[in-house]
Amino acid sequence: MRRFSEFDFGVSWVMSFFHQDWTYDGPTAADVVAKHLAAEADDKVLAVRRDARVLVDHLPSETTEVLWTAGAQYMPSFEGTSGSEWTRTVIGLCDARLSAKADVRPLTGADTEDGLPYRDAVVAEIERVEFLPTEVREALVDCARRCTPDLALRVLLRCIVKTPYNVLSPDQYARLEAIGSALHYGEYVVDAVEFMVEQD
């Protein structure tokens, strides 16, 4: 049983929009998100909305800001807004995109997997990535415990990709792969950090 995509999805996918050249995709962060959502299938949009809803419902704004900033390469400043307000904006963009269709089918099967049986394993992996700042690891642990381990793991992978001058041990990568497999991730989700595995 696989998820709808072989690639990253949800809020962690949205974080990937904010790279060095993100402004070429739109004048504002909201415009960039809207552009990407418009080009995607319903399940991709539903996955973003699901993640964003969980963040807003279960984490304080400050923690949400830490996650967005840590997971995106060039996240726009939160000056004049907040992590919760930005996440609500993303939800609103998802709602606007989904409302344009009359027959949106809900996520089912593997796409509803939240990873609760793997919470302790995800928390342990977060705590082992010592090259991430303490504040980021604490926010990720909060996400795993108060939101879903699935979301926390995908954001962790985004944070790791952002720090390519560090390395993962082969054992770390193997554990991440095992959790990703248990969560029915596609081939290219955990694989995104394979290039950081320490070579013998």
Side-chain angles (χ1 to χ4, degrees), residues 14 17-18 22 26-35 75-76 86 89 93:
V14 173
F17 303 165
F18 298 103
W22 73 265
T28 71
D31 290 327
V32 170
V33 174
K35 176 182 176 180
M75 191 66 206
W86 162 244
T89 297
L93 293 168

Side-chain angles (χ1 to χ4, degrees), residues 136-162:
V136 173
R137 280 183 281 134
E138 288 175 348
L140 287 164
V141 168
D142 282 349
C143 183
R145 289 181 172 153
R146 299 172 65 180
C147 298
T148 68
D150 162 48
L151 174 56
L153 181 62
R154 285 183 283 110
V155 177
L156 171 65
L157 294 169
R158 290 290 321 153
C159 294
I160 291 172
V161 166
K162 265 188 60 181

Side-chain angles (χ1 to χ4, degrees), residues 112-128:
T112 63
E113 173 66 66
D114 56 19
L116 289 180
Y118 309 100
R119 178 164 40 201
D120 290 345
V122 170
V123 168
E125 292 312 311
I126 292 166
E127 292 174 339
R128 287 187 180 107

